[in-house]
Amino acid sequence: MTQAQQRKRINMILDKLSSAYPDARVGLDFENPLQLLVATMLSAQCTDERVNIVTKSLFKKYHSVRDYINVPQEELENDIRSTGFFRNKARNIKACCEVLLSKHNSEVPATMDELVQLPGVGRKTANCVLSNCYNIPGLTVDTHVIRISNLLGLVEDSDAVRIEFALMDVVEKERWNEFDLLIITHGRRTCIARRPKCAECVISDLCPSAQL
Ligand code: SF4
């Protein structure tokens, strides 16, 4: 399939998913870039639902980078314990906030280069912040995007960064943010890992992995 044909197929997939999921929204609750940055760091190896439960009280207690910096490490660990890997996450959040304070005037930067320099922040977290807080196109490659991009035959790979760059070639830039939102929603509701509901899937006619 040529790149033009692939783009056309992806546009058809996105149009159909957009109609199927008009209520698609980002899974993590947040009100500002710092909150999304922290929530995304907490979401590693954890469900969005669990993160939202934790951040509901966390964000009432911590309002600024200084709040995360000033709290004892152990107290922050306890506040995020149920998201798993809490020691590492607490360490990264505190270190990240130190850099935000010293280098970015306590603001979350709006460029990929600056974001990935922050402790504990990789391309996935950076893209999530850029696209959802600053409306800058970015492809957030999470477990759903990895799985479904392979099922749809858009990539044959398991490496998130390679997949991100491969998708950048075939998904139109103005649809990158929409692609993430819709594919992740599709992964949660229909194309569920190990038990995809192909019979109910609105893009089964465009999917080489459909089991009908
Ligand atoms: S047809 Fe099945 S495997 Fe393909 S995207 Fe739909 S649910 Fe997933």
Side-chain angles (χ1 to χ4, degrees):
M1 196 179 281
T2 65
Q3 196 180 63
Q5 287 169 325
Q6 189 74 299
R7 281 183 178 224
K8 192 173 168 198
R9 187 167 77 97
I10 292 170
N11 281 333
M12 288 166 68
I13 287 170
L14 294 181
D15 290 345
K16 287 187 173 206
L17 291 180
S18 174
S19 300
Y21 308 124
D23 59 334
R25 60 177 288 279
V26 180
L28 295 170
D29 295 336
F30 68 98
E31 287 179 359
N32 57 53
L34 179 61
Q35 287 188 356
L36 183 59
L37 186 64
V38 170
T40 311
M41 291 167 88
L42 294 178
S43 73
Q45 309 290 320
C46 184
T47 64
D48 286 355
E49 290 73 23
R50 165 58 49 191
V51 172
N52 288 339
I53 290 168
V54 169
T55 56
K56 195 169 182 185
S57 44
L58 191 77
F59 294 159
K60 283 192 186 128
K61 179 173 173 184
Y62 301 82
H63 301 279
S64 68
V65 294
R66 283 182 193 278
D67 292 337
Y68 292 104
I69 292 168
N70 292 336
V71 75
Q73 164 91 13
E74 246 181 43
E75 188 175 334
L76 181 56
E77 287 176 6
N78 279 332
D79 289 338
I80 63 170
R81 181 175 289 267
S82 67
T83 67
F85 302 96
F86 55 91
R87 287 203 181 92
N88 218 14
K89 289 177 181 176
R91 204 174 304 121
N92 279 334
I93 289 169
K94 285 177 77 64
C96 179
C97 286
E98 295 272 9
V99 179
L100 291 179
L101 178 68
S102 61
K103 291 197 175 159
H104 301 285
N105 201 21
S106 297
E107 300 289 330
V108 176
T111 69
M112 173 63 77
D113 284 351
E114 291 171 305
L115 282 165
V116 294
Q117 304 275 335
L118 299 170
V121 176
R123 291 189 66 87
K124 180 183 147 200
T125 299
N127 272 320
C128 184
V129 169
L130 289 174
S131 58
N132 293 301
C133 295
Y134 300 118
N135 210 22
I136 294 170
L139 282 161
T140 307
V141 179
D142 77 344
T143 172
H144 296 294
V145 173
I146 292 173
R147 188 180 76 257
I148 297 173
S149 296
N150 277 280
L151 287 170
L152 290 172
L154 305 179
V155 295
E156 275 182 57
D157 207 330
S158 58
D159 178 82
V161 175
R162 282 201 302 266
I163 290 173
E164 181 193 337
F165 282 94
L167 290 175
M168 285 160 97
D169 280 341
V170 289
V171 181
E172 289 176 7
K173 194 170 184 179
E174 54 271 27
R175 300 197 84 167
W176 287 359
N177 296 357
E178 185 188 4
F179 179 90
D180 274 332
L181 193 59
L182 291 172
I183 295 293
I184 291 168
T185 303
H186 191 51
R188 290 208 176 103
R189 299 189 192 173
T190 309
C191 191
I192 298 161
R194 288 184 291 279
R195 47 186 173 89
K197 301 178 190 169
C198 299
E200 298 170 22
C201 177
V202 295
I203 55 171
S204 59
D205 56 328
L206 295 162
C207 177
S209 307
Q211 293 174 8
L212 299 169

